[in-house]
Structures are given as C-alpha cells and as structure tokens.
Amino acid sequence: MNRFFKLQENQTTIKTEINAGITTFLTMVYIIFVNPVILGNAGVPSGQVFMATIISALVGTLLMALLANYPIAIAPGMGLNAYFVTVVTKYGLSYSIVFGAVFIAGVIFLLLSFTSLREKLIEAIPNSLKFGITSGIGLFIAFLGLQFSGIIVDGGEAGLLTLGDLQAPNTLLSIAGLFITLILMARNVKGALFYGIVMTAIIAFFTGQLTFNGVVSMPPAPVFFEMDIAGVFTEGLYAVVFAFLLVTIFDTTGTLVGVAEQAGFMKDGKLPKAKSALMADAIATTVGSTFGSSPSTAYVESTSGVAAGGRTGLTSLVIAGLFFLSMFFSPFIQAISGVSAITAPVLIIVGCFMMEGLSRVDWKSFDEAFPSFIIILTMPLTSSIATGIAMGFITYPLLKVVSGKGKQVSWLLYVFGILFAIQLVFFPAH
Ligand SMILES: Nc1nc2[nH]cnc2c(=O)[nH]1
C-alpha cells in the first residue's frame, strides 16, 4: 500500500488518507440524492440514475486512484445534469438519444486525451470564457434549486419570475433546510451538505412530507446500454455533444489544476499525470452514459479532503469504496430523492461554490469582462449551457478584433466563434 500510493514520498499516512477520503465523500455524497431528482425531470427512472451515478463515481474515482494517484474524486457534474434535462424536455427528445450524445462526447474526450489538441484547446480558451462557463453553470443550478424549492416561481402577470408562496409546506421545508445547511457551512462542519440533507429529511419525516419503505436493500439492477446513438445524428445534436464535451473538459481541467495547486502537485505551472487524470474522467463519462448518467467531472469538493491532509490515490480509493457501500442504501436514498425540496438547498449552495472562478476574470478590461458576463447572464436565462457558451465564444473574438487585439486570439477561437454564430442563427433549436 505504502509503495503503490507512495505514502511516505507524499508525507502522509494511511490514517490521514482514510480521514481525507471520508471527508470528501461526505461533502459530495449528495449527488446520489440529487442526481435522481434532476434526471428524473427528464423521465429517467430514479433507480437507474441512482445506480448510474454510483457506477460513474466508482469507476472515475477508482481510476483516479490507480492511474493518477491523486486525491481527487469524480462524479456526474451538477449543471450538466440540469442541461441534460433541458435538452430532453425543451426539444421533446427521448432521454436515450441524449445519453447517446453523452456517450459520443465521452468517446471524443477519451480520444482527445491521447492527442495534443487537448492542451491546445485548454491553452487557447481564455480565463474569461473558462471561468465564465463554470460560474454560469453555478447560477443555472442555483436557479433550479430556487425553482424546486418554490422560492422563485413563474410570475404570470407579475413579470417573468417572482417570489413564491413562502408559507407553502415544501417551500418552508426548503427554507429551513437552506438555513440549517448554511449554518453548518459557515461553521465549517465536515460534510455540511450531507448533514444538511439528513436534517432536512428528518424535518420532512416529522411533518409528513417524507415516508420510508426501509433503509437497506440489495442494489437495484443497473440498466445497461439504453441509449440511441443513431438518434444523435438524425436529430442533429452536434451542438449538444459539443457542449457536453467542452464543459466536461474545461470543468475537469480547471478543477484538477485548482485541487493540484492546493495539494502542491503543480510543477512549473503544469500538472503532472494530467493525461491519466483526464482519462479517468473521460472513461467515467463514457461508462456512466451507458448506464444512464449525465457527464462526469472532477469534483471541486475534493478540496475538502485535500484540506484534511489527503495527498494520494488512497484517499480516492476510500471515496470509491464508500460509493460502493452506498449502493446498499437505495430505499433510504431514493425516498429522500423523491422530495425535491430536501435537496434544493444543496443546489443553491453548490451554485455559490461554482462562482469562485470569477475572481480570475479581468473585469477591468471590457473585452474580457463582457464575454464572461454574457455567458453568466444567458446560461440561466435560456436554461442552456450551450447557448451561454456560444454567446461567449462569439463576442470574445469580435471584441478583441474591434479593439485592435485580434492577433492575441488563437485561430481556434475564430473557428469556434464562426461555428457558434452559424449554429445560433440557423440551428437555434439545440
Ligand atoms: N467542478 C465541479 N464540481 C462539482 N461538484 C458538483 N458538481 C460539480 C461540477 O459540475 N463541477
């Protein structure tokens, strides 16, 4: 164990790594409650999403442990799960076609992990676009949380949106959950999001909003290969595949670099073993789609385990082991997932985490600030990550050219800008 995970070299111990693994697991286990709620809005059965989420997290995090020896967890990302639902519901598609799109994005990501285009792409995209995308997704999922909780509702005569009925039972439950979780977060309690869900569920139980049919059982049977790859082409979902691909690559890379900086792994501004880490994510996304999950990404919550001293893949191995054990708690987890007001506070708070990157945008330069701003604004307003990305990629090269800085922009961005402009104007459906 010591030799495989290089514990001594990384100045850590088995006990510290186990502690770190438990810490990260507690901060991210909410995804197995929340993902069935979100993908349930696209009609995917809850038991299927529950298993697919665990399998994605298990495969990705285990590969991260074994291939990269990093204390970084992988699981289906928030934001892309919501975008998945938008694509299914807004355009009336079958979810199996959209799983096909996730599969294709995963395979392209896997192929890209072997080439240098991956680095080129990552280097060509400026901070304002990268962090604009992550933050836009943050606002998007927080907005969903506000809707699920009933705090924000359709405005009708009052305008597009308005404040909901704060005395409605499910809204009251969410508000109580939000306050409890915020208090736990502010007091730096390990696993605040998880304990927040549990405490909100207890309130829901005693107020009759939640019923249980058991706690432990054998895992539900996973559903395998319920996807329609041909449908991706007949429906022309190219922009959707592209959005899944770009967001997964940027999000994972940004998160890997952030966590690696915190853990002291960066060497001369480069991330060693980036290839193995990205491959772990690409494989998790591809495998996850075959079982019925939206794309996976490296989790920002891994920072909590690193803060607890985790430095090696042993931390990730512990996280993967805990995800495996959670398979046996499906009745408990599915009952909680059935009441979206319980998990809504998590969406609002995770949205806040994802805004952090905005500090890296150069707000004093208008040609950097505006593309970031338009992404953040349009993602929640159009409920489309792809549209938000398109707005940013169109305005960035445009503003650079008119301000005489066109030469600073990579040719890749001009190509993307033109492609996105054509797509938005002529193929706006997706
Ligand atoms: N980086 C990152 N971390 C997450 N934690 C939960 N969801 C996400 C996500 O989409 N991206």
Side-chain angles (χ1 to χ4, degrees):
M1 185 105 82
N2 192 351
R3 219 167 334 137
F4 185 84
F5 289 114
K6 303 197 173 82
L7 298 185
Q8 227 159 14
E9 205 175 299
N10 285 290
Q11 295 166 6
T12 178
T13 62
I14 293 182
K15 191 170 159 219
T16 309
E17 295 290 301
I18 292 177
N19 254 333
I22 295 173
T23 305
T24 299
F25 176 77
L26 285 178
T27 59
M28 66 182 292
V29 63
Y30 68 83
I31 191 64
I32 58 180
F33 298 87
V34 174
N35 220 21
V37 180
I38 304 226
L39 294 190
N41 289 312
V44 194
S46 144
Q48 180 179 349
V49 183
F50 171 77
M51 285 307 285
T53 305
I54 293 181
I55 292 168
S56 309
L58 191 60
V59 169
T61 312
L62 197 59
L63 288 174
M64 185 65 86
L66 304 179
L67 299 179
N69 195 23
Y70 279 158
I72 300 177
I74 287 177
M78 302 276 289
L80 278 182
N81 52 6
Y83 176 59
F84 182 99
V85 176
T86 311
V87 176
V88 170
T89 51
K90 218 166 164 182
Y91 311 122
L93 296 171
S94 125
Y95 61 72
S96 49
I97 294 182
V98 191
F99 282 137
V102 179
F103 179 78
I104 295 173
V107 171
I108 298 176
F109 185 12
L110 195 56
L111 295 176
L112 277 180
S113 319
F114 293 104
T115 71
S116 64
L117 190 66
R118 172 192 41 144
E119 269 104 13
K120 284 213 181 75
L121 196 63
I122 292 166
E123 281 164 20
I125 315 294
N127 274 355
S128 47
L129 297 186
K130 268 189 211 143
F131 295 111
I133 292 171
T134 315
S135 306
I137 297 174
L139 274 196
F140 179 29
I141 60 178
F143 176 45
L144 282 179
L146 290 170
Q147 284 178 310
F148 287 167
S149 61
I151 295 174
I152 282 187
V153 294
D154 190 335
E157 304 256 305
L160 285 179
L161 297 166
T162 189
L163 192 65
D165 172 9
L166 300 191
Q167 294 179 21
N170 72 316
T171 310
L172 270 178
L173 178 64
S174 278
I175 293 173
L178 185 59
F179 273 107
I180 292 171
T181 319
L182 286 175
I183 292 169
L184 296 174
M185 288 291 312
R187 299 189 62 84
N188 291 324
V189 172
K190 276 183 200 167
L193 294 180
F194 174 69
Y195 293 120
I197 289 181
V198 171
M199 286 168 153
T200 317
I202 292 172
I203 299 175
F205 180 72
F206 284 110
T207 52
Q209 287 161 281
L210 173 68
T211 48
F212 288 109
N213 296 315
V215 175
V216 181
S217 81
M218 286 308 284
V223 179
F224 188 56
F225 229 77
E226 201 192 345
M227 30 181 217
D228 180 355
I229 295 177
V232 177
F233 298 97
T234 48
E235 294 287 343
L237 297 187
Y238 306 109
V240 174
V241 171
F242 197 54
F244 281 146
L245 180 66
L246 278 190
V247 174
T248 312
I249 291 180
F250 294 158
D251 194 347
T252 288
T253 313
T255 310
L256 284 173
V257 169
V259 182
E261 266 170 8
Q262 182 197 7
F265 295 150
M266 297 296 284
K267 296 221 166 69
D268 307 324
K270 287 213 156 62
L271 177 69
K273 293 182 283 189
K275 189 168 166 181
S276 315
L278 287 175
M279 261 170 62
D281 184 37
I283 295 172
T285 296
T286 314
V287 172
S289 70
T290 63
F291 285 97
S293 175
S294 46
S296 290
T297 173
Y299 255 44
V300 282
E301 286 84 350
S302 311
T303 48
S304 62
V306 171
R311 288 294 178 275
T312 73
L314 182 53
T315 295
S316 308
L317 186 68
V318 171
I319 301 168
L322 291 170
F323 269 111
F324 176 77
L325 287 182
S326 53
M327 270 186 202
F328 297 91
F329 291 88
S330 67
F332 174 72
I333 290 168
Q334 283 185 31
I336 290 181
S337 304
V339 184
S340 60
I342 299 177
T343 45
V346 172
L347 299 184
I348 300 168
I349 295 171
V350 172
C352 173
F353 294 164
M354 296 181 76
M355 305 301 286
E356 190 193 319
L358 283 188
S359 61
R360 301 216 212 170
V361 176
D362 179 7
W363 291 103
K364 295 240 162 56
S365 308
F366 184 73
D367 49 13
E368 295 286 337
F370 187 81
S372 203
F373 165 76
I374 199 76
I375 295 175
I376 299 162
L377 181 69
T378 50
M379 264 190 204
L381 290 184
T382 60
S383 300
S384 168
I385 292 178
T387 303
I389 293 179
M391 295 282 189
F393 273 82
I394 293 168
T395 49
Y396 189 85
L398 200 69
L399 288 177
K400 286 289 178 190
V401 168
V402 295
S403 48
K405 300 180 196 159
K407 286 216 176 88
Q408 295 172 5
V409 180
S410 155
W411 61 270
L412 266 175
L413 285 186
Y414 289 108
V415 175
F416 280 143
I418 292 168
L419 289 179
F420 274 125
I422 294 172
Q423 183 245 326
L424 271 196
V425 177
F426 297 105
F427 309 97
H430 305 306

